[in-house]
Amino acid sequence: MLTILGFVMIATFLVLIMMKKMSPMGALVLIPALFCVLVGKGAHLGDYVLEGVGDLAPTAAMLMFAIIYFGVMIDVGLFDPIVRLILRFCKADPMRVVVGTAILAAIVSLDGDGSTTFMITVSAMVPLYRRLKMSLVVMTGVAAMANGVMNTLPWGGPTARAAAALKVDASDIFVPMIPALAVGLLFVIALSYGLGLRERKRLGVLTLDEVTAGDPEQVLVGAGSGGSGTKGRKGVKAALTGGGAGSGTDAEAPSSKGVGSSDGSGSSDAADEDDDELKGLDPHRATLRPKLYWFNAALTVALLALMVTETMPIPVLFLLAAAVALTVNFPNMKDQKARVAAHAENVVNVSGMVFAAAVFTGVLTGTGMVEHMARWLVDGVPEGMGPHMAIVTGVLSLPLTYFMSNDGFYFGIVPILAEAGAAHGVSALEIARASLVGQALHMSSPLVPAVYVLVGMAKVEFGDHTRFTVKWAALTSLVVLGAGLAFGII
């Protein structure tokens, strides 16, 4: 019964948010609360929720101070050169913009933290997507898939968990997997190329020549500096050719609904909102600190290095870094309060989603539903598949890492799969490597706090992101599995 109710609860949640019948925060809280009562454990709901909140509280604290830190770094201009480089590469070509998103997300993912990756990627790319009226769902999907593949780095989490659970060396898991993961990343870039071509076809051929007049940054930064922002908007619209380009939607190409706005109508209100979004990149904004550029760069590099080496807990590192960044860049108390207030909306939205997710995970784990679901899937593997348990592990990693936390999967399920494989001569290393292939899909799971940073900062509905991304992320994971089999790694 718990198995059936678990699957029904997850299906109900996904259907309601994808159909936009409930907000993600409401669905994450109310649906598990209802099912907790249905399984007869309503009296323990408070205990389950508090346990879930306790587990995710450090993550919420980390995200809170990480958003403030990177928000300040954006305010002071640390990432402005990155934006300019991306614009030079993209040249207002939607295909290049999408490919650039995948490459940027993959590079930043080297730090091993999904939240950091999404904050930097979204901050750099959102202004360009909005200015060119591109689909923000494409951006969030591509960034999530690129980060998912790179999340298998030894310091990223899953590899370390697999190594600890099966008592093997992390390098023995990761190093042989590099060719398969490289194929997965190349697939993400190739997919980005295809999605970019689709965006180019939807929007038509774009050019910035008439707008920039020799200044390629003007389209991005002009919105907050006098009349150039208006000129940029009109210039880009005039350069659009092809059906539907003037609608100003942010939706997936086949759809007429906007993701960036509620009705996708391209109204003047939405246009004003887009202008507001672009003001953060005004080259003359008062928050810029050019004399402190190298200090801020060194502080960020030091922060990322300490994160990778795990010198201190990540929430503590971001707390200290945010305090230093605010104090040095904005010594005046009034300015500090203004910067915190400027990023308060993102902090509240993301932290709220994390604590709402704690209700979902707390009920799913506390009632035993997730354990029953996992064991049902494992027990359903035919006896004849024993010698192919590595392949079974790779396939099961897709749904299990999507519906479970990494801790639950690697410490609760992978050892069971490894034990079953050992009886048929399948090594623990093969099981560990196969367990990594689902990470491209895992990064879009509603149980991953970082995904709420991604959709929250991009102002994309979680249901839209899920509907667009899941199929491509699952395909990416299968490509990694297929490459592992082809190279004899799995």
Side-chain angles (χ1 to χ4, degrees):
M1 179 60 72
L2 284 176
T3 301
I4 296 173
L5 287 175
F7 281 115
V8 172
M9 184 179 89
I10 292 171
T12 302
F13 168 77
L14 292 175
V15 169
L16 287 176
I17 62 170
M18 285 193 288
M19 293 181 65
K20 299 184 182 178
K21 299 298 183 182
M22 292 185 71
S23 68
M25 185 176 293
L28 284 168
V29 173
L30 297 178
I31 292 174
L34 173 62
F35 276 82
C36 185
V37 174
L38 290 178
V39 299
K41 298 188 178 182
H44 301 286
L45 177 61
D47 296 332
Y48 298 153
V49 172
L50 288 179
E51 185 176 353
V53 168
D55 291 339
L56 290 181
T59 301
M62 182 272 289
L63 292 175
M64 173 182 174
F65 290 106
I67 290 172
I68 293 175
Y69 178 80
F70 283 106
V72 169
M73 291 297 108
I74 293 164
D75 293 337
V76 300
L78 179 63
F79 301 115
D80 283 17
I82 297 176
V83 175
R84 290 194 288 268
L85 285 173
I86 291 171
L87 183 56
R88 290 192 185 101
F89 167 77
C90 296
K91 297 179 180 177
D93 181 355
M95 182 273 290
R96 290 188 177 216
V97 172
V98 180
V99 172
T101 301
I103 294 173
L104 176 62
I107 292 173
V108 182
S109 294
L110 289 171
D111 75 336
D113 180 67
S115 302
T116 304
T117 298
F118 295 148
M119 278 185 271
I120 294 176
T121 303
V122 172
S123 299
M125 300 305 296
V126 150
L128 189 53
Y129 274 79
R130 289 194 183 278
R131 176 59 68 184
L132 300 180
K133 301 301 179 186
M134 292 177 60
S135 170
L136 289 173
V137 187
V138 171
M139 181 194 71
T140 60
V142 167
M145 287 184 283
N147 177 253
V149 174
M150 297 297 290
N151 193 44
T152 53
L153 292 167
W155 53 89
T159 301
R161 289 181 175 91
L166 299 182
K167 297 178 175 58
V168 295
D169 191 86
S171 62
D172 291 336
I173 299 173
F174 176 73
V175 174
M177 277 293 288
I178 290 177
L181 296 172
V183 170
L185 188 58
L186 288 174
F187 176 78
V188 172
I189 294 173
L191 177 61
S192 303
Y193 177 80
L195 293 172
L197 290 179
R198 191 173 72 175
E199 281 294 278
R200 180 196 285 174
K201 181 179 180 181
R202 179 175 71 89
L203 294 170
V205 179
L206 299 131
T207 175
L208 293 179
D209 293 341
E210 298 178 35
V211 183
T212 59
D215 181 6
E217 290 90 40
Q218 201 171 48
V219 169
L220 275 182
V221 302
S225 53
S228 60
T230 303
K231 178 182 177 183
R233 181 178 300 281
K234 291 178 180 177
V236 170
K237 284 186 177 180
L240 294 173
T241 61
S247 64
T249 64
D250 283 324
E252 185 178 351
S255 173
S256 61
K257 285 188 177 182
V259 175
S261 61
S262 60
D263 57 8
S265 62
S267 64
S268 59
D269 290 341
D272 291 341
E273 183 180 342
D274 286 347
D275 274 339
D276 290 340
E277 287 292 329
L278 294 171
K279 286 181 181 178
L281 290 174
D282 177 3
H284 307 297
R285 60 191 185 272
T287 58
L288 285 176
R289 297 292 186 269
K291 292 182 179 179
L292 293 172
Y293 183 85
W294 292 111
F295 168 81
N296 289 317
L299 178 62
T300 302
V301 170
L303 171 63
L304 298 179
L306 291 173
M307 287 171 56
V308 171
T309 56
E310 299 181 350
T311 305
M312 295 178 70
I314 293 179
V316 177
L317 289 174
F318 272 115
L319 190 156
L320 294 173
V324 171
L326 281 169
T327 303
V328 174
N329 288 283
F330 302 99
N332 186 286
M333 283 286 293
K334 183 178 179 181
D335 292 337
Q336 289 184 21
K337 290 180 180 179
R339 288 303 89 212
V340 173
H343 303 292
E345 181 183 356
N346 280 334
V347 169
V348 171
N349 287 340
V350 172
S351 300
M353 291 295 291
V354 171
F355 286 122
V359 180
F360 194 93
T361 57
V363 170
L364 202 60
T365 303
T367 58
M369 283 191 283
V370 70
E371 182 181 354
H372 280 74
M373 292 161 61
R375 288 192 175 275
W376 178 79
L377 287 172
V378 173
D379 292 343
V381 177
E383 183 67 25
M385 291 297 293
H388 309 289
M389 191 55 67
I391 299 175
V392 171
T393 301
V395 173
L396 288 179
S397 71
L398 274 72
L400 291 180
T401 57
Y402 187 79
F403 297 131
M404 298 176 65
S405 67
N406 271 339
D407 285 337
F409 175 67
Y410 285 102
F411 293 112
I413 304 303
V414 170
I416 298 173
L417 295 170
E419 184 178 348
H424 295 85
V426 180
S427 71
L429 281 173
E430 288 184 80
I431 298 294
R433 293 167 192 158
S435 70
L436 299 178
V437 304
Q439 288 302 305
L441 178 60
H442 171 73
M443 287 311 297
S444 290
S445 165
L447 305 182
V448 175
V451 75
Y452 298 115
V453 176
L454 176 63
V455 299
M457 292 187 68
K459 292 182 171 57
V460 167
E461 290 291 337
F462 181 76
D464 291 328
H465 171 79
T466 300
R467 186 167 56 249
F468 174 82
T469 307
V470 165
K471 57 182 179 294
W472 299 119
L475 183 58
T476 301
S477 295
L478 292 176
V479 167
V480 173
L481 177 60
L485 294 171
F487 289 128
I489 302 166
I490 299 174

